[in-house]
Every structure is written in C-alpha cells, then in structure tokens.
Amino acid sequence: MKITGTFLDEISHDIPHQNWGAKEWDTDFQHMKHMGIDTVILIRCGYKNWLTYPSAVLQQEEEAYTPPVDLVRLFLDLSEKHGIAFYFGLYDSGKYWWEKGDFQREVDLNLKAIDEVWERYGSSPAFQGWYICQEVSRKTAGIIDLYRQLGLHCKEVSGGLPTLISPYIDGQKAIMASEAELTKAAAVSLEEHEAEWNEIFAGIREAVDIVAFQDGHVDYHQLADYFAVNKQLADRHGLRCWTNAESFDRDMPIKFLPIKWEKLRLKLEAARAAGLEKAITFEFSHFMSPQSAYPQAGHLYNRYQEYRNER
C-alpha cells in the first residue's frame, strides 16, 4: 500500500523542531510530491501557548505567543504550488480536555478558532478539509460530544469539507513519550476496542467523515485483527477508513527515531490486505524526508521509493 498523505508537525510537542524556513519547506513539499503524497494534514494549529498562525482568538484567550511566521499561509501556498490538498488541524490546549476534563472549554475555544481560520484562509483552493486533533484511544467521557460539535461546525462554515480524526489503540505500546517503559500490561482487548469505538462512531457519524487509526500501539501480529475491526466499524457507520502508518519506531528506548523499513512495509501490507482506503503517515518531514535532521530518514525514503516503484 502506498503512502499518499502526511501530517505536518510544526509545534513539535515531543519531537525536535528542525528550524526550517520557507526554502526548506518548499524543498520538502517537492520531496513529498515526488513520493506520491497528495494530502498534507497540519496536526494542530496550536498547542498550549505555541501557534502556527497569528490567532487573535488564542492570543487573547490563552495568552499564546505571536509566531514569527504564518506557517498556515506558508503551507497553503506550498500546497497550491505543488498540487497538494491541505487539511487544517484544530487547537489543542493541552489542559482543558486532557488534564481538567473540561471538554466544553476545549470546544468553545475551537469554535471561535474555526470561524477565525475559515475567514482568514478559507478562500485558498488548497484548503480541502479539517483535522480534529484531540486524539483518544477509548470512550473518554466527553469525547463524542467534542468530536460532534467540532466536526459539525467545521462542516457548516466550510460548506461540508471533510473532517478527519486519527485516534490510537490502547494497546501494549500505548505509552506516554515521557515514560521510560516501552510496553504496558493493561492493554485493551480487541472486544473492548470494538465495543467502545462502535459507540463512538454511532455518535459522530454525521460530524466526522474519515478515521485513520494510528498503527503503532499494538504488536505487529495483532494488526490484521485490529485493521479488520476498524474497517468493519467504519463501514457500518458510514465513515471512510484510512490508516495512519507511523514512520517512527516505538520499539526502541530512544523516542523517537525513524522506523526500520521492514516494520513500515509490514504495516502497509497489512493495511492493504484489510482493504483500507488510504495510507497517511506521521510524519514525513522528520522520519522520511531526505533533508530530515535524522540521516536514517533519507535512507527510509530511498527504501520506500524502491518499494513504491515495484508496485
């Protein structure tokens, strides 16, 4: 299965910032296009006090810092230049929904940001969708309503542009980046995962169009079963089912490095066998780009291109 989309991570929540300017980003979009990427997804427009665009809403209400560059405008311009669709990722406070359980405060901030963003950037032909960035693995209290409110508002202001979520599976590798361990014992069962996401999908089916589960939190021999369940659930509730093929390695004590090519290939083949529609990755620029700060990323790009040309 070929990778045709990637996240853009410029808040750098738990991976190093590469300090690129417009020239480096233009080069990276050329590399993306060369490997067949037709979709980029801004993983979040802001995290806590850090922003990718000068948001009056978030600077006023969250005392966010004024960014030196409007990266959203830059990414939209580069998407137009290279013929790539751009999905806008919403704001993650890092506290209201995650630490305090105040999902409505998270929603209210984002409703204002959505209006601001659409007025500012909605005229760009590259603006093709939305990413709801609050990632969960279980039926957390409040998440159905959050997805529903935000998804419906995104679609309302933009004339029905598609909305995407990328949850993860509460598997044995679902470990926080700050934790030293690589695995945990208390992993979700396949049956629990199916029951909880069946309920979530039933509640968000009119607000969310696409689901792309992250593929790195379960062991490789479990992927076929989870992919099959995810596809079945998505089909049942009328969602499109993609895969988020993580291009970094969760199996090593150093967090995070480019993944071994054999592992990424195995995951892509499992997604293909399950009939998933599209493969996106987190994320090209750090873990697959020839100009990444990690030299291994360029080698992963070369191995992937060999695989792609064989297909």
Side-chain angles (χ1 to χ4, degrees):
M1 188 173 192
K2 296 177 182 179
I3 296 171
T4 56
T6 182
F7 283 97
L8 302 171
D9 181 18
E10 264 307 278
I11 293 297
S12 300
H13 164 43
D14 53 9
I15 52 177
H17 203 286
Q18 299 195 102
N19 295 305
W20 289 352
K23 180 180 178 181
E24 290 88 354
W25 276 113
D26 191 9
T27 299
D28 222 49
F29 271 67
Q30 293 177 49
H31 290 312
M32 293 177 199
K33 190 72 174 180
H34 187 59
M35 69 166 268
I37 285 177
D38 58 24
T39 307
V40 293
I41 304 134
L42 182 65
I43 195 162
R44 54 184 73 85
C45 69
Y47 179 69
K48 295 185 176 179
N49 299 105
W50 302 100
L51 301 176
T52 59
Y53 78 102
S55 167
V57 167
L58 297 171
Q59 289 177 88
Q60 178 178 346
E61 300 209 15
E62 292 300 302
E63 299 183 343
Y65 307 126
T66 303
V69 177
D70 185 340
L71 286 171
V72 173
R73 176 58 64 193
L74 174 63
F75 291 155
L76 282 167
D77 289 347
L78 290 175
S79 296
E80 288 185 40
K81 176 180 178 180
H82 296 285
I84 294 173
F86 176 86
Y87 280 53
F88 181 89
L90 303 187
Y91 173 69
D92 184 348
S93 71
K95 58 182 178 181
Y96 296 121
W97 73 287
W98 182 255
E99 295 177 356
K100 300 181 179 181
D102 188 352
F103 281 74
Q104 193 56 50
R105 174 62 175 158
E106 190 85 5
V107 167
D108 292 342
L109 274 174
N110 269 290
L111 292 177
K112 296 177 184 179
I114 289 164
D115 290 341
E116 177 184 59
V117 163
W118 187 249
E119 181 179 356
R120 188 177 185 121
Y121 305 108
S123 62
S124 170
F127 199 131
Q128 292 293 310
W130 304 88
Y131 176 60
I132 305 173
C133 64
Q134 287 73 18
E135 300 170 2
V136 296
S137 61
R138 307 291 293 265
K139 191 175 68 66
T140 307
I143 195 61
I144 293 176
D145 195 44
L146 178 144
Y147 283 159
R148 186 169 183 82
Q149 288 190 66
L150 294 182
L152 289 175
H153 193 65
C154 285
K155 295 169 78 65
E156 180 183 2
V157 302
S158 63
L161 288 183
T163 53
L164 164 69
I165 59 172
S166 186
Y168 60 101
I169 300 165
D170 192 20
Q172 64 186 53
K173 300 183 196 178
I175 301 293
M176 296 289 292
S178 58
E179 297 180 36
E181 294 80 7
L182 296 177
T183 61
K184 65 179 184 179
V188 71
S189 69
L190 185 64
E191 294 74 20
E192 290 170 324
H193 173 81
E194 180 176 10
E196 293 188 28
W197 281 97
N198 183 58
E199 187 172 346
I200 294 171
F201 286 174
I204 66 173
R205 57 190 302 168
E206 298 172 358
V208 173
D209 300 294
I210 308 161
V211 59
F213 277 96
Q214 300 166 35
D215 71 357
H217 296 88
V218 298
D219 211 347
Y220 300 98
H221 70 275
Q222 298 175 303
L223 282 171
D225 290 339
Y226 279 94
F227 282 161
V229 164
N230 294 341
K231 179 69 163 62
Q232 180 185 32
L233 289 173
D235 288 348
R236 180 184 305 163
H237 295 286
L239 278 71
R240 298 164 63 188
C241 193
W242 296 0
T243 184
N244 181 358
E246 294 181 342
S247 43
F248 63 92
D249 204 327
R250 291 188 179 272
D251 302 330
M252 302 180 68
I254 302 173
K255 301 175 181 177
F256 297 101
L257 295 175
I259 198 169
K260 179 182 179 180
W261 162 237
E262 181 182 358
K263 295 177 179 179
L264 181 57
R265 185 183 186 280
L266 188 154
K267 295 193 295 182
L268 291 173
E269 287 299 299
R272 179 193 58 78
L276 304 190
E277 176 186 340
K278 183 181 180 76
I280 60 177
T281 188
F282 185 88
E283 57 67 83
F284 177 84
S285 297
H286 281 89
F287 304 118
M288 292 190 76
S289 172
Q291 64 171 356
S292 167
Y294 300 117
Q296 309 96 317
H299 299 307
L300 181 58
Y301 176 88
N302 291 336
R303 301 292 79 74
Y304 172 78
Q305 288 288 62
E306 292 166 355
Y307 166 82
R308 177 171 170 260
N309 292 329
E310 291 172 359
R311 300 279 121 191

